[in-house]
């Protein structure tokens, strides 16, 4: 599903450049549930953003669903994102003037699905994350955990192949963290590939495979107990 | 463009961000309001000027004579100048191709009498072309023709008000009218847009008048209509040439303006034309200045708006929005706001102009101020275009920001 070979990425900072990813090799197969851990600044978000086509790498090869990602223009990237990828961000990134339902339905708008169908599908997904009765509330009327569940519903609504989550529980307390992780587990059980960044060992332990980054290189890549059990 | 979902997105964005939308619209409304008022008022001025000249043909010229005020070739001042048929024919033969219409005019004042009704009226003895020079409108019968002149017929064309005075509701055409003692056949009844005074007169053939009243070949003035193909400058030059030639012919000092002068509509037209031209130039300058200020206003606000929405665009992109769809959405929103706001400004402007109506005609010389459909359409097009530009430039920039940078924005 995701294959990365000798990937490098630097950010220009004034005249210098900051070498963030220093030759990453990573292969994630369809249906895996992978977490990335590492200290702050180790390059986790950078890697996830490149995987999510939100940013571009400098060197190396990246294959998404077998397709080499190279010289991608914005339009093509937008279509691929819409088709294959779902995002969950630490800061939720809901559109503030849209209701929960409309936020969830938005990716379907860009898929070209008509409004009635859109809202029906979106409602199903809101129901799935247990927020049906909150459908017509604006984001600022929801708690952090509820917002993140709306964001997850939005990430799932297009039935993506891969769900990318950058510290989805980073802003949540432990109870809501558990409910979000349960959701991600369910998604994975349904066959979706889930790729999640976290700082918390307890969260990582609930995934099937942990990749550890340090200073832009992978220092370990192991299955968890759950992963081994499968 | 006609995607209902796109419109729905836009209406939602406008509706949920009302203050922002009203702010962007306001500058445009205001600019268009000023523009409309300005144009309307200048049109009102222009209307006043043109209506001041509707009486006579726009290309009319009159050769007039009075007493000399300068001695010339041994002739003393104070000499009465008299135009004759010979002068009339001289003008006719010399400037044939520069003249469209020509008529002599002799002023008379006669008692016109029908049965028991009688009154004094100005009577003008003229040639057939006079009809076009004076823009006489024939309501019944006909005007004077060449045959009337050749035969020195005793026929008369009377004004609408003469007919009303003498005949009331009864028919007048074909009746015989007593003119200063002799009997004339009424061959026509006319009206004139020049006002009541121009309709309380009568026309008879110039030859008849010369024959009956004095038995001479005197005429009071020569009326001309210059060839409309002449430019205003050429027409003015033509008038000056007639002036020079006739002064020479009649032994008048070349600079004696009082003794013989040509009153030339071309000069008045040129004056008015220049004045209106200058006025329109100012209006176009000020008007486009206002419009440009409006466009700059909305552009600035759009830049601000788009900056504020950068994060939203990043989210939309992460969810699959293409740059084109983001540009399209912003531009369409901007066009919609400018068009509606502009339309409001335009409507308010036209409404105010209609309230003004003719109320300012007396005091300020502004008659029926209004904007023409062409201006309205042009202004609308300018609005839509400015909405396009105002939205496109910043939207394009926003759409080109990498999604990850847009998402990081706050
Ligand atoms: N757009 C950017 N321009 C310049 N430097 C950047 C940019 N984005 C990230 N960096 C730098 O690259 C390094 C890696 O950042 P990244 O966000 O990938 O770290 P991270 O592992 O996700 O850290 P955290 O756990 O704090 O989120 C950091 O030193 C960061 O300062
Ligand atoms: Mg990070």
């Amino acid at each position: 599903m995701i294959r990365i070979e000798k990937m490098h990425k630097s950010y220009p900072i004034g005249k210098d450049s900051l070498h963030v990813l220093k030759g990453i090799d990573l292969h994630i197969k369809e249906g895996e549930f992978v977490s990335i851990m590492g200290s702050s600044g180790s390059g986790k978000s950078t890697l996830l953003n490149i995987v999510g086509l939100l940013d571009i790498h400098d060197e190396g090869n990246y294959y998404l669903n077998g397709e080499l990602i190279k010289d991608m223009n914005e339009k093509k990237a937008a279509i691929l994102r819409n088709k294959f990828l779902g995002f969950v961000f630490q800061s939720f990134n809901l559109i503030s003037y849209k209701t929960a339902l409309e936020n969830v339905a938005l990716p379907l708008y860009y898929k070209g699905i008509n409004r009635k169908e859109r809202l029906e599908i979106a409602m199903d997904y809101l129901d799935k994350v247990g927020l049906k009765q909150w459908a017509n509330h604006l984001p600022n009327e929801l708690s952090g955990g509820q917002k993140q569940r709306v964001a997850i519903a939005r990430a799932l609504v297009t039935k993506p192949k891969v769900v990318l989550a950058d510290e989805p529980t980073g802003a949540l307390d432990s109870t809501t963290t558990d409910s979000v992780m349960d959701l991600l587990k369910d998604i994975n059980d349904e066959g979706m590939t889930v790729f999640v960044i976290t700082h918390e060992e307890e969260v990582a332990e609930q995934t099937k495979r942990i990749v550890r980054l340090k200073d832009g290189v992978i220092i370990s890549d192991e299955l968890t107990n759950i992963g081994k059990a499968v | 463009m006609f995607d209902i979902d796109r419109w729905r997105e836009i209406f939602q964005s406008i509706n949920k961000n009302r203050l922002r939308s009203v702010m962007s619209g306001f500058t445009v409304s205001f600019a268009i309001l000023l523009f409309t008022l300005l144009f309307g008022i200048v049109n009102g001025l222009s209307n006043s000027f043109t209506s001041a000249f509707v009486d006579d043909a726009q290309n009319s010229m009159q050769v007039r004579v009075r007493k000399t005020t300068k001695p010339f070739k041994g002739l003393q001042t104070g000499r009465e100048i008299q135009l004759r048929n010979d002068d009339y024919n001289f003008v006719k033969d010399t400037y044939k191709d520069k003249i469209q219409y020509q008529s002599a005019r002799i002023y008379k004042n006669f008692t016109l009498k029908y049965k028991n009704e009688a009154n004094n009226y100005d009577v003008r003895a003229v040639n057939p072309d006079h009809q076009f020079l004076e823009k006489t409108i024939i309501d019944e019968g006909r005007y004077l023709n060449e045959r009337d002149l050749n035969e020195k017929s005793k026929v008369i064309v009377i004004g609408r008000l003469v007919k009303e005075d003498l005949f009331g509701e009864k028919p007048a055409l074909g009746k015989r009218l007593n003119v200063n003692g002799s009997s004339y056949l009424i061959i026509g009844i006319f009206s004139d847009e020049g006002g009541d005074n121009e309709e309380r007169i009568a026309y008879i053939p110039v030859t008849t008048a010369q024959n009956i009243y004095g038995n001479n070949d005197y005429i009071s003035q020569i009326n001309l209509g210059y060839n409309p193909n002449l430019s205003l400058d050429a027409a003015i030059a033509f008038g000056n040439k007639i002036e020079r030639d006739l002064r020479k012919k009649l032994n008048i000092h070349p600079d004696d303006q009082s003794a013989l002068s040509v009153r030339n509509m071309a000069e008045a037209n040129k004056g008015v034309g220049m004045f209106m031209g200058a006025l329109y130039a100012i209006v176009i300058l000020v008007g486009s200045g206002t419009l440009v200020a409006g466009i700059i206003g909305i552009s600035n606000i759009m830049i601000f708006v788009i900056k504020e929405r950068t994060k939203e665009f990043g989210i939309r992109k992460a969810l699959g929005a293409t740059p084109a769809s983001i540009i399209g959405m912003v531009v369409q929103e901007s066009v919609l706001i400018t068009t509606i706001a502009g339309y409001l400004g335009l409507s308010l402007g036209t409404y105010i102009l209609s309230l003004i109506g003719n109320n300012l005609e007396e005091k300020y010389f502004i008659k029926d101020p209004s904007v023409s459909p062409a201006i309205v359409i042009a202004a609308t097009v300018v609005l839509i275009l400015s909405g396009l530009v105002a939205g496109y430039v910043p939207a394009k920039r926003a759409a080109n920001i990498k999604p990850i940078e847009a998402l990081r924005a706050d």
Side-chain angles (χ1 to χ4, degrees), chain A residues 171-183:
Chain A
L172 306 179
D173 63 29
S174 58
T175 354
T176 43
T177 293
D178 288 343
S179 76
V180 164
M181 284 314 291
D182 286 343
L183 266 174

Side-chain angles (χ1 to χ4, degrees), chain B residues 342-359:
Chain B
Y343 184 75
L344 286 179
L346 195 66
S347 312
L348 185 61
T350 17
Y351 178 66
I352 293 175
L353 289 179
S354 76
L355 284 189
I356 293 176
N358 288 337
N359 293 338

Side-chain angles (χ1 to χ4, degrees), chain A residues 11-13 18 20 39-46 167 199, chain B residues 408:
Chain A
Y11 289 112
I13 299 175
L18 180 68
V20 178
S39 55
S40 186
S42 56
K44 306 180 296 290
S45 295
T46 304
E167 302 191 40
H199 272 124
Chain B
R408 230 179 259 133

Side-chain angles (χ1 to χ4, degrees), chain B residues 11-257:
Chain B
F11 283 126
Q12 183 177 46
S13 151
I14 291 177
N15 198 27
K16 294 284 168 68
N17 302 285
R18 269 185 216 147
L19 179 66
R20 189 175 80 193
S21 312
V22 168
M23 258 170 48
S24 5
F26 181 74
T27 44
V28 175
S29 291
F30 196 66
I32 291 292
L33 173 65
L34 285 183
F35 181 81
T36 313
L37 289 180
L38 211 63
F39 243 93
I41 283 169
V42 171
N43 274 343
L45 279 175
S46 160
N47 287 343
S48 296
F49 275 107
T50 34
S51 72
F53 289 103
V54 294
D55 182 14
D56 299 337
Q58 288 294 313
N59 59 340
S60 83
M61 283 166 49
Q62 287 145 28
V63 182
R64 294 170 161 181
V65 290
R66 280 212 302 267
K67 285 181 183 144
T68 59
T69 54
K70 288 187 169 125
F72 186 62
K73 285 189 183 167
L75 295 164
Q76 288 192 332
T77 63
R79 179 170 58 104
E80 194 80 51
I81 299 297
Q82 180 63 60
L83 290 172
R84 295 163 181 273
N85 285 352
D86 177 42
D87 303 315
Y88 180 89
N89 292 330
F90 166 78
V91 170
K92 187 173 181 173
D93 298 339
T94 320
Y95 314 111
K96 227 178 276 146
D97 48 337
K98 286 192 173 149
I99 293 175
Q100 185 187 25
Y101 302 121
Q102 181 173 2
S103 170
R105 199 189 249 192
I106 304 171
Y107 291 107
K108 295 284 177 195
N109 188 285
F110 290 142
T111 306
L112 306 191
K113 194 169 166 227
Y114 180 75
K115 293 197 173 151
N116 294 327
E117 299 291 337
N119 237 327
N120 270 356
Y121 295 98
D122 283 330
V123 175
R124 294 171 181 172
V126 298
N127 297 69
D129 272 3
H130 194 277
Q131 178 184 0
F132 307 109
L133 292 168
E134 191 65 34
K135 287 210 210 153
T136 304
I137 302 153
I138 290 295
D139 296 334
E140 283 180 65
R142 63 172 178 84
Y143 201 71
L144 306 171
N145 62 24
E146 285 302 332
R147 199 167 143 205
D148 299 329
L149 269 90
N150 291 338
E151 295 176 359
K152 297 175 186 154
S153 315
K154 287 204 263 184
V155 292
I156 189 164
V157 182
I158 60 171
R160 188 175 64 85
L161 296 178
V162 177
K163 188 244 165 197
E164 241 170 56
D165 291 349
L166 300 180
F167 293 86
E169 293 297 303
K170 283 179 285 212
L173 196 66
K175 297 281 186 311
R176 297 222 144 250
L177 192 66
N178 184 317
V179 178
N180 207 29
S182 29
S183 167
Y184 278 66
L185 178 67
I186 299 175
I187 57 167
I189 295 154
F190 71 88
S191 53
D192 192 306
E193 286 181 351
D196 287 1
N197 288 338
E198 296 286 329
E199 295 182 327
R200 200 160 253 135
I201 55 175
Y203 293 110
I204 59 172
V206 65
T207 48
T208 315
Q210 286 176 336
N211 187 32
I212 298 182
Y213 314 102
N215 197 16
N216 55 30
D217 63 352
Y218 292 177
I219 51 184
S220 312
Q221 95 183 23
I222 302 171
N223 286 20
L224 297 169
Y226 63 79
N227 185 335
N229 294 332
L230 294 182
S231 68
L232 281 182
D233 287 327
I236 290 168
F238 174 44
N240 293 339
K241 179 153 171 50
I242 296 180
E243 228 170 45
R244 275 198 307 278
D245 292 351
L246 280 179
R247 281 178 192 157
K248 196 168 163 196
K249 181 167 184 296
L250 297 171
N251 287 322
I252 299 169
H253 187 283
D255 295 331
D256 197 342
Q257 192 61 30

